Amino acid sequence: MGKYIGIDLGTTFSCMAYIDDSGQPVIIPNREGKNITPSTVLFDGKNTIVGEEAKNQSILEPANFEQFIKRHMGERDYMFSTVDGEKYSPEAISAIILAKMKADAEEYLGDSVDGAVITVPAYFNEAQRKSTMDAGTIAGLNVIAIINEPTAAALAFGISKGNDKQQTIMVYDLGGGTFDVTILRFDKENIIVLSTAGDRKLGGYDFDERIINAVIEDALDKGLNIQADDIARQDLQLKAEEAKKTLSAREKANIVLNSGGKPYKYTLTREKFVDLIEPLLFKTVGSMETACDEAGVEYSDLDKILLVGGSTRMPLVRESIEEETGITPSSEVHPDEAVAIGAAFHVLDVIKCEKEKVVRGETSDKKVANATIPEVKKQYTFTDVTSHGIGIVVSNRNNEEINSVILPKNTQVPAAYTGQYTTTVPYQESLKIQVTQGEEEDLRYVTVIGTADIEIAPREKIVEIEVSISCDENSIIHVRVYDLDLQRDLGEIYIERVANLNEEEIRQSQQRISKLDISGE
Ligand code: ADP
Ligand code: MG
């Protein structure tokens, strides 16, 4: 009988955990003995190297090296190309990382990994969630649920440190490539997400980029073109990150490079660093305000600000939060491990629900029948919210196409909302449903996530139609259409997703990835 684990598939680092027989969370180290694995892949001839060693060797073959793939999840057109012209989708690259993690976990546990909960940023849209599940499938993982990272961190906090008091908490998660801020309410047994905001393209990587640009500029003044030197540029990437980390503990850090045979040194002081990243910190403050506004709470209503993510080790981040809110942020959870631990706790919940389903005579599609679950100190049920508005494209009175939101942003899931519309012309035979994601009416600011064509019985008149959009526990969208005139339920509509791999592509990817020789060294 195998094990079930929680996986934090991070932009820069990934982490795994499980709950042992005594109900305690345990971090699963990788084969290199580290608790976190860089989410990096290097295609080195016949070998596919994942993690620390890929990062270390990246300087030799920058063009065969992929990092931050999570930033491309859900992008249909993004492909990573190796120098030899091999192409990999974001799902395939993520699957390579997951395959190594699964193998490392199986070695550590001495048992098979029969299922996993994988985490995603709260604001990941539907396509990105689906891509994450597909990556798991490609890696040969049985993905039993997807859960939002801040909710996982809150679960980890609640189960290990929680009491029965009602508390309002902000989870501030600043990682390597993404920023999430989430407001949650805890009571004895429930965690309710009130709102979530953030920035998909903001994290430690951007701080590194600011340092890199400053160094490149300074070097140019001294007659060195680092940008044109691939190897020096990759070396700078690693050294800029190191310098940033050094600054978390010291007042200054040196970056020493070698470009075109000439040595070069740059001294980064804390003061200079503040100038470089202040505009980015302002952005995080903006997201904190938005999250509070949308939750209907003031900073003074917050009982705690929980810090998650490697970048919250930066004193500047802590200071900017304290300055803005007047609250000293808490470090009660481990910034690198809390999310994976929360995912591991969530495994127990999913298995329990599935077993209850079986007892009720319903079918369970999660293959958890043989799983045993330990008793844990505390249990919570949680309610998450939708991170985007979901709607459809309709024509307004002036016959212009606009977005009509049906399921608003920050609605607690699972949820179903309906919108009433009409056909546009008499004798209309079909409806083209374009499902959108976004809050604006203007289609330039929303994304069409899927389409469906459905037939309706043509009539002489304009017909009233009802569209119901629901969002399940994994934030996957379902659409139903009703013909109100004929009182007919047209059923759940199959939506053709525009951003994701189709089943055949997933199968092909699976075959390809299973043939790769994936290692950490
Ligand atoms: P993600 O969730 O995006 O994978 P993590 O939460 O693992 O990211 O955070 C990784 C980021 O944290 C990286 O950008 C890394 O440089 C940064 N980081 C880690 N330790 C420190 C530190 N001591 N000081 C500053 N930044 C750090
Ligand atoms: Mg993270």
Side-chain angles (χ1 to χ4, degrees):
M1 193 205 62
K3 294 268 193 309
Y4 288 77
I5 65 174
I7 303 179
D8 169 8
L9 180 61
T11 313
T12 39
F13 286 98
S14 296
C15 184
M16 304 181 278
Y18 80 108
I19 308 299
D20 71 11
D21 293 341
S22 64
Q24 290 301 316
V26 179
I27 293 292
I28 304 174
N30 61 21
R31 226 171 287 189
E32 294 75 54
K34 296 270 171 59
N35 284 1
I36 54 177
T37 302
S39 309
T40 51
V41 179
L42 178 75
F43 296 94
D44 177 28
K46 278 209 182 68
N47 298 328
T48 307
I49 307 173
V50 177
E52 197 67 48
E53 196 46 35
K55 209 170 162 183
N56 293 343
Q57 288 190 30
S58 63
I59 184 171
L60 301 173
E61 296 179 76
N64 277 331
F65 176 65
E66 176 64 294
Q67 56 182 349
F68 314 125
I69 193 64
K70 191 166 163 183
R71 285 189 167 190
H72 298 290
M73 287 300 259
E75 283 176 22
R76 183 71 176 140
D77 300 328
Y78 182 87
M79 279 283 170
F80 176 75
S81 286
T82 65
V83 174
D84 296 340
E86 291 275 320
K87 288 192 166 39
Y88 295 91
S89 63
E91 289 89 343
I93 299 279
S94 301
I96 291 171
I97 298 165
L98 287 170
K100 163 174 161 67
M101 298 190 70
K102 176 173 183 273
D104 287 6
E106 289 178 339
E107 180 163 304
Y108 175 80
L109 297 167
D111 205 344
S112 61
V113 169
D114 285 356
V117 166
I118 304 182
T119 64
V120 294
Y123 56 82
F124 249 28
N125 65 28
E126 210 218 9
Q128 295 166 315
R129 286 165 200 268
K130 178 72 174 38
S131 289
T132 305
M133 291 177 106
D134 292 345
T137 309
I138 295 169
L141 275 171
N142 169 28
V143 183
I144 59 172
I146 293 281
I147 147 172
N148 288 341
E149 286 157 13
T151 312
L155 264 178
F157 164 75
I159 294 172
S160 56
K161 305 262 160 71
N163 51 37
D164 290 347
K165 262 198 357 234
Q166 178 168 313
Q167 295 192 66
T168 307
I169 284 183
M170 174 189 280
V171 176
Y172 179 105
D173 180 353
L174 187 59
T178 52
F179 171 61
D180 246 90
V181 51
T182 302
I183 314 284
L184 309 106
R185 187 154 288 154
F186 268 81
D187 65 25
K188 212 168 146 208
E189 288 160 349
N190 300 291
I191 300 176
I192 297 169
V193 179
L194 302 179
S195 70
T196 180
D199 193 328
R200 185 184 166 193
K201 300 236 149 119
L202 178 65
Y205 170 74
D206 301 283
F207 303 154
D208 303 345
E209 280 295 299
R210 297 273 160 129
I211 299 173
I212 290 167
N213 291 337
V215 173
I216 288 176
E217 224 170 86
D218 180 76
L220 263 185
D221 287 346
K222 294 176 178 143
L224 276 182
N225 188 352
I226 294 175
Q227 190 72 331
D229 180 342
D230 270 3
I231 292 189
R233 175 70 176 73
Q234 185 62 29
D235 193 23
L236 174 56
Q237 171 103 48
L238 301 177
K239 288 186 170 155
E241 186 185 0
E242 277 314 309
K244 174 190 71 178
K245 289 188 188 168
T246 304
L247 277 193
S248 291
R250 304 221 173 106
E251 287 301 315
K252 63 177 191 189
N254 289 324
I255 296 175
V256 180
L257 297 171
N258 197 318
S259 180
K262 286 192 207 137
Y264 163 80
K265 178 171 145 183
Y266 181 91
T267 302
L268 182 67
T269 59
R270 263 221 197 145
E271 224 175 349
K272 224 185 270 177
F273 188 45
V274 175
D275 284 346
L276 294 175
I277 68 161
E278 213 160 35
L280 300 176
L281 292 178
F282 273 137
K283 276 195 181 175
T284 67
V285 167
S287 296
M288 287 202 289
E289 284 171 351
T290 309
C292 282
D293 279 351
E294 290 184 3
V297 302
E298 309 274 339
Y299 290 139
S300 57
D301 298 322
L302 297 176
D303 294 291
K304 206 178 275 288
I305 300 179
L306 274 188
L307 297 183
V308 185
S311 297
T312 60
R313 289 199 177 88
M314 285 166 42
L316 283 173
V317 167
R318 291 160 186 259
E319 284 159 19
S320 77
I321 297 172
E322 183 154 358
E323 205 169 288
E324 167 69 9
T325 62
I327 300 169
T328 309
S330 138
S331 314
E332 281 166 276
V333 294
H334 194 296
D336 300 327
E337 299 171 2
V339 171
I341 289 175
F345 278 124
H346 187 52
V347 161
L348 309 186
D349 219 30
V350 175
I351 293 176
K352 194 168 147 236
C353 288
E354 291 304 308
K355 284 184 175 265
E356 282 167 6
K357 263 196 205 167
V358 175
V359 170
R360 287 198 304 270
E362 295 165 28
T363 49
S364 162
D365 56 359
K366 308 233 157 105
K367 297 184 245 150
V368 297
N370 294 324
T372 52
I373 41 177
E375 282 292 316
V376 289
K377 207 158 79 182
K378 229 171 152 10
Q379 259 188 329
Y380 289 100
T381 53
F382 67 80
T383 314
D384 244 309
V385 292
T386 51
S387 55
H388 301 81
I390 306 288
I392 58 169
V393 176
V394 298
S395 298
N396 68 8
R397 277 194 201 92
N398 304 327
N399 241 342
E400 294 151 347
E401 289 203 323
I402 57 160
N403 175 36
S404 167
V405 175
I406 296 177
L407 185 67
K409 183 181 178 206
N410 282 330
T411 302
Q412 293 182 351
V413 292
Y417 275 59
T418 56
Q420 259 92 44
Y421 304 95
T422 62
T423 51
T424 37
V425 290
Y427 296 106
Q428 193 166 322
E429 292 176 355
S430 69
L431 298 169
K432 182 176 172 65
I433 309 269
Q434 289 174 275
V435 182
T436 58
Q437 191 153 258
E439 285 63 57
E440 312 281 333
E441 266 196 359
D442 190 331
L443 288 180
R444 279 175 302 178
Y445 304 110
V446 303
T447 318
V448 173
I449 56 173
T451 60
D453 281 303
I454 52 169
E455 287 182 7
I456 53 165
R459 270 146 285 171
E460 198 181 347
K461 57 181 183 183
I462 299 287
V463 172
E464 282 188 48
I465 299 289
E466 185 174 271
V467 176
S468 151
I469 295 190
S470 63
C471 183
D472 69 19
E473 295 80 359
N474 290 325
S475 294
I476 301 296
I477 304 298
H478 305 273
V479 177
R480 295 180 83 90
V481 177
Y482 300 88
D483 184 327
L484 290 178
D485 178 45
L486 294 178
Q487 292 283 318
R488 189 180 294 163
D489 179 355
L490 300 175
E492 179 165 345
I493 307 302
Y494 173 74
I495 305 181
E496 185 100 41
R497 260 73 180 174
V498 283
N500 294 112
L501 302 181
N502 61 37
E503 274 175 25
E504 179 55 22
E505 287 166 314
I506 293 176
R507 209 182 50 78
Q508 283 170 3
S509 252
Q510 227 164 5
Q511 282 183 343
R512 227 173 125 204
I513 304 301
S514 67
K515 286 200 195 103
L516 292 179
D517 185 9
I518 298 172
S519 72
E521 63 230 16

